[in-house]
Amino acid sequence: MAFKRIGFCCKWIDHAEQVDGIKPTDDAKKYNTGTTTISWLKRQSTDVAEQKLWDLANQNIDATYKLVEKVSTLDEPLRMVRLSSDILPAYTEPNWSYFWRQPDVIAYAERNFARVGEIARDRNVRLSFHPGQFCVLASESDEIVERSILEFEYHADMARWMGYGSTWHDHGFKINVHLSGKGGPAKFLQTLKRLSPEARNLITIENDEVSNGLDSVLSVAEFCPIVLDIHHHWVKTGEYIDPSNSRVVQCRESWRGVRPGMHYSVSREDLLVDHDPNTRPDLDDLIARGHKKQQLRAHSDFCWNLAVNDWALTFADQWDIQVEAKGKNIASEQLYEQYLSRHR
């Protein structure tokens, strides 16, 4: 994986209007997963509910394969995608988890997830997962930690079926979570020991803008890689951190020779409507004018601020950049085009 990557998260869209939703008749539908709700499953007979879960398993693993196949046709630097967490709905829900433990269901998952991993490795597509915010491995609550371990291991199961996890971040695969929970780094490290070997080989920790910023997550860098989120860091501190900063170097070194991954986003364009796209936003100035950090943390639709993009692209020589934007692949292609324009 010598070449640089700029990737996107979870969904494929064909045009900008699909930021607001993909219609059932849209061609992009085939690249995206479907889901159901626990309340809907509860209202059905067991047979109907199980059939729905089976249909979703077939549909979603197939959509995931098609998404990776689609990404594999892009320019090599764009071959990176975060996979959706809802591929196997209700996998850890106590009333329905039994469905996913059935031998025929497991056999199907093993066989078809393997195809996803094979095409990703054959065509140099870097993959990842990002369990939701409710996956709190450092919670003070033992009950929440137990549920969080189940949720993390669900993602590890899918990664394992794809052929990842036997070695340290093989092919750059990661399962990324926030270091959230009042237990902090100490509780996280306790929980880390309880994860499966594959989960420990794939876990990464990301800094956030609320409780565990860059200095906090660096305290666990000896044990797992740090995903540097430069937008979270900006929202927390106002700093446009430099790639040569010693903390950034520590993050990079935590990957132990694997090309590191980072996250990039920018505050929403409909929040900073009149802001000059050729000027970086100033956090202190925005707060003085009444903006709240909670608003500023939200991800934009597209990579609209050229000056902030240029800052993010200063990391591209040493980091793969995952664009967290509602514009998905279109947003990552915007950043890539700006990179090309600066290097012609």
Side-chain angles (χ1 to χ4, degrees), residues 40-272:
W40 185 91
L41 291 171
K42 287 180 177 179
R43 293 195 301 270
Q44 313 307 313
S45 68
T46 299
D47 287 347
V48 169
E50 288 187 349
Q51 185 63 50
K52 180 65 172 179
L53 292 175
W54 177 249
D55 291 344
L56 284 169
N58 283 256
Q59 171 192 329
N60 289 349
I61 300 175
D62 182 60
T64 301
Y65 179 87
K66 289 176 178 174
L67 174 62
V68 175
E69 183 179 44
K70 181 73 170 177
V71 173
S72 77
T73 68
L74 304 176
D75 288 355
E76 281 195 327
L78 289 170
R79 296 183 191 178
M80 181 167 70
V81 60
R82 177 191 300 168
L83 302 179
S84 172
S85 288
D86 63 3
I87 299 173
L88 305 180
Y91 191 89
T92 63
E93 206 281 328
N95 293 312
W96 298 103
S97 60
Y98 75 88
F99 176 82
W100 304 108
R101 305 295 182 266
Q102 298 176 98
D104 59 330
V105 176
I106 292 174
Y108 179 86
E110 289 176 336
R111 185 168 63 253
N112 288 281
F113 272 111
R115 296 176 61 239
V116 178
E118 286 165 5
I119 192 172
R121 288 185 291 274
D122 287 346
R123 303 187 185 180
N124 288 318
V125 179
R126 186 173 187 176
L127 303 180
S128 63
F129 283 122
H130 194 337
Q133 302 283 7
F134 53 86
C135 188
V136 186
L137 297 174
S139 174
E140 288 184 314
S141 165
D142 291 339
E143 180 182 354
I144 291 175
V145 168
E146 294 303 321
R147 293 202 303 266
S148 298
I149 289 174
L150 289 174
E151 185 67 16
F152 196 90
E153 291 291 355
Y154 153 54
H155 291 80
D157 284 346
M158 292 190 287
R160 185 185 301 112
W161 292 330
M162 283 187 273
Y164 300 101
S166 61
T167 60
W168 175 267
H169 297 278
D170 44 335
H171 292 81
F173 198 107
K174 69 179 187 292
I175 306 176
N176 182 67
V177 289
H178 291 263
L179 181 56
S180 52
K182 293 183 179 179
K187 184 62 175 287
F188 168 75
L189 291 176
Q190 290 178 20
T191 306
L192 181 65
K193 296 175 183 177
R194 300 180 55 197
L195 298 180
S196 66
E198 293 88 349
R200 293 197 303 272
N201 274 337
L202 298 177
I203 191 170
T204 61
I205 291 296
E206 169 187 357
N207 60 295
D208 66 45
E209 70 278 39
V210 180
S211 55
N212 288 288
L214 198 49
D215 293 331
S216 179
V217 298
L218 280 171
S219 67
V220 302
E222 178 184 351
F223 306 95
C224 67
I226 305 302
V227 170
L228 173 64
D229 190 308
I230 57 175
H231 181 60
H232 286 170
H233 183 71
W234 175 81
V235 172
K236 188 173 182 67
T237 68
E239 179 186 17
Y240 286 97
I241 197 166
D242 189 271
S244 63
N245 184 283
S246 62
R247 292 164 295 170
V248 175
V249 173
Q250 284 180 267
C251 290
R252 194 175 72 241
E253 291 176 344
S254 70
W255 286 81
R256 304 182 196 173
V258 174
R259 184 169 171 85
M262 60 176 281
H263 292 169
Y264 170 55
S265 52
V266 63
S267 299
R268 291 193 55 77
E269 51 268 79
D270 56 2
L271 180 67
L272 306 181

